[in-house]
Amino acid sequence: MKQELLAKMNAYLANQEIMYIKLHNMHWNLKGNGFFTLHAKLEEYYDQTADIIDEVAERILAMGELPVANLKEALEITKVKELPDGAIDIAEAVRILTIDVEYWIHDSKEIVELADKEGDVVTADIFTGYLKEYEKTLWMLKAFAQN
């Protein structure tokens, strides 16, 4: 069971590693009405993602496993789709982000459940915190998309 939790955490880590690059891509190539608002928010998201990557990798190490630490392996196990280089309009960026945040919510819930089964309150607590933030982010993205 612990191996299942660690595998899921490494998959989550891979998703976040790819998202870090994807968020930069959106940040750099964003176009359209609402640019200033979403441009700043994307920077917040990739800064937050960098912190999450570090925290999850260190938790995996503390649990006695090696974290996914290269893009080749991360790309093999990620659910997150890369974004091609090029201009991206606001509506498309929000649509893509909404899909990705829904992955984060799903994955965080799975990890909390697995951690609870293992009696791993530390991991459950970490991912419960992420879940709280992701649900708020999803609500905000949906509200932004209604403009």
Side-chain angles (χ1 to χ4, degrees):
M1 197 62 111
K2 181 181 176 187
Q3 286 307 316
E4 183 182 2
L5 173 59
L6 285 164
K8 188 65 182 174
M9 290 172 69
N10 253 325
Y12 175 91
L13 180 60
N15 287 339
Q16 293 298 311
E17 290 165 339
I18 301 307
M19 274 308 301
Y20 183 75
I21 296 165
K22 185 175 183 176
L23 288 164
H24 276 84
N25 185 339
M26 284 188 217
H27 176 78
W28 295 326
N29 294 306
L30 193 64
K31 305 285 184 230
N33 191 21
F35 170 84
F36 288 108
T37 302
L38 192 54
H39 184 76
K41 188 54 85 173
L42 288 165
E43 185 172 352
E44 284 179 40
Y45 291 158
Y46 66 68
D47 287 344
Q48 176 188 41
T49 301
D51 291 340
I52 289 169
I53 288 168
D54 191 53
E55 185 173 38
V56 172
E58 288 177 354
R59 182 66 189 147
I60 291 169
L61 286 162
M63 294 170 70
E65 185 73 33
L66 290 175
V68 172
N70 67 78
L71 290 177
K72 182 180 184 290
E73 188 177 347
L75 284 166
E76 290 172 3
I77 64 175
T78 189
K79 289 182 190 172
V80 172
K81 304 293 183 228
E82 285 188 289
L83 188 63
D85 295 341
I88 183 166
D89 70 45
I90 301 293
E92 182 65 3
V94 171
R95 186 190 71 75
I96 290 168
L97 277 172
T98 299
I99 291 167
D100 290 335
V101 172
E102 288 171 345
Y103 280 137
W104 303 348
I105 289 170
H106 178 265
D107 289 348
S108 294
K109 285 179 180 178
E110 282 187 0
I111 291 170
V112 169
E113 288 173 16
L114 288 169
D116 283 342
K117 287 179 187 173
E118 284 294 313
D120 182 349
V121 295
V122 174
T123 300
D125 184 58
I126 290 168
F127 282 87
T128 299
Y130 297 160
L131 185 57
K132 175 187 169 199
E133 291 302 314
Y134 296 155
E135 287 179 348
K136 181 178 177 181
T137 298
L138 184 61
W139 159 66
M140 294 175 121
L141 288 167
K142 288 180 176 181
F144 188 78
Q146 291 177 352
N147 288 338

